[in-house]
Amino acid sequence: MLRCPECSAEIDVDEDEVEEGEILSCPECETELEVSQTHPVALNPISDELEEDEEDDELEEDEEDFDEDGDLPDEDDEDDDDDDEDE
């Protein structure tokens, strides 16, 4: 008998018949669990937090294009160069 690492509920699975990489679902908390090893069977929760972290990283990369106010950087630098040439 296996136990969910999140809520400790019993998961009714034959330990001899699970394969590494297999995805199980906890009947109590509905957490998806990956079989990370078979002898002894070890279950690791598959969390949506990983996906959210990846999305946050992508958002942070996009935010680098903006200044601290959240605006696009001003293109005044090009205008300043033009003013210097006129003088």
Side-chain angles (χ1 to χ4, degrees):
M1 188 63 60
L2 299 174
R3 291 203 175 268
C4 174
E6 294 291 309
C7 69
S8 299
E10 290 183 359
I11 301 174
D12 188 21
V13 175
D14 188 350
E15 294 184 40
D16 295 328
E17 295 191 14
V18 294
E19 296 179 13
E20 190 170 328
E22 186 174 345
I23 305 297
L24 305 174
S25 182
C26 174
E28 295 293 320
C29 68
E30 299 181 0
T31 299
E32 290 188 328
L33 306 164
E34 180 180 13
V35 179
S36 59
Q37 70 180 38
T38 54
H39 292 359
V41 175
L43 300 174
N44 290 330
I46 300 173
S47 69
D48 292 334
E49 292 177 14
L50 294 176
E51 293 174 10
E52 291 173 5
D53 289 344
E54 290 173 4
E55 289 173 7
D56 290 345
D57 291 344
E58 290 174 10
L59 289 175
E60 288 174 7
E61 290 173 8
D62 291 341
E63 290 173 359
E64 291 174 3
D65 295 337
F66 300 97
D67 65 10
E68 62 274 356
D69 297 325
D71 299 325
L72 288 171
D74 292 332
E75 296 183 11
D76 290 343
D77 294 338
E78 293 176 12
D79 294 340
D80 291 343
D81 293 340
D82 293 340
D83 291 342
D84 292 340
E85 292 175 10
D86 293 339
E87 291 178 10

